[in-house]
Amino acid sequence: MACNCDQCGGRTTGLHHIGIYVADIEVSKAFYIEKLGFELLQEAAPGDTKLALIGVGSCVIELIQRADHAPRQAGVIDHIAISVEDIDQIVCRLIEKMVVFESGEVNDAPDLFGGIRNIFFSGPDGERLEFFESIHN
C-alpha cells in the first residue's frame, strides 16, 4: 500500500481497549462483571476464538480465549487498541514512515462487535498495537 496523497487525513482518538488472553472466558467474565462491576458490552466467536468486550467507565477490556492454545499465556496483555478515524489514511501515512504491519492490509470485519476495521503492528519494544475503527452503518 503506497500513499500518494499530499495531506493524508485520519487521526487517533484515544484508547479503545486492552486485549487480555484468558484461560476460561466464562470465569473471567464472571470475575470482572460480578466482582469488579464491569458490564458485558459485546461478545463474538470468530473461528475457534471466543471474545468478550467488557467495560466500566472509560475502561474497556477485550477478553480473548483461544481454543488452539496459542503460545500466548493466559493473563498476559495481548495488545493495546487505539481508536482511529480513517484507518486507511493513517496506515498509508505510517507505511511511508516505514512502520511494518502484521498483515498487508486493513482487516474488514463487518459482523464483529457491530462492524470494525483493524490492523496490528509493533511498537519499538515489540509491544503489540492495534488501530481500531468502529463502523457505524
Side-chain angles (χ1 to χ4, degrees):
M1 174 182 227
C3 185
N4 296 320
C5 56
D6 292 331
Q7 293 183 335
C8 291
R11 65 185 185 102
T12 56
T13 60
L15 178 67
H16 188 274
H17 67 266
I18 298 172
I20 301 173
Y21 277 110
V22 298
D24 185 325
I25 200 164
E26 295 304 322
V27 169
S28 294
K29 282 191 311 188
F31 173 80
Y32 282 96
I33 292 168
E34 295 169 13
K35 296 187 179 189
L36 301 182
F38 279 66
E39 293 181 37
L40 178 63
L41 304 175
Q42 294 179 315
E43 292 184 280
D48 290 336
T49 303
K50 294 179 182 177
L51 306 173
L53 284 179
I54 57 172
V56 63
S58 64
C59 178
V60 177
I61 296 173
E62 178 184 21
L63 304 174
I64 307 163
Q65 178 186 327
R66 297 190 63 165
D68 63 0
H69 304 290
R72 290 187 176 98
Q73 182 180 359
V76 172
I77 294 173
D78 177 63
H79 63 276
I80 299 170
I82 301 165
S83 287
V84 299
E85 294 175 352
D86 201 347
I87 194 169
D88 294 309
Q89 294 298 325
I90 293 173
V91 169
C92 181
R93 187 170 65 236
L94 291 180
I95 287 172
E96 285 191 339
K97 293 181 179 184
M98 307 305 289
V99 171
V100 177
F101 291 89
E102 288 182 15
S103 63
E105 57 189 48
V106 173
N107 176 52
D108 290 304
D111 297 325
L112 184 62
F113 300 139
I116 69 160
R117 301 186 75 221
N118 69 338
I119 193 165
F120 289 91
F121 59 103
S122 295
D125 292 304
E127 66 274 22
R128 192 166 185 237
L129 303 171
E130 175 187 10
F131 282 151
F132 187 100
E133 182 173 36
S134 295
I135 301 170
H136 300 287
N137 296 331

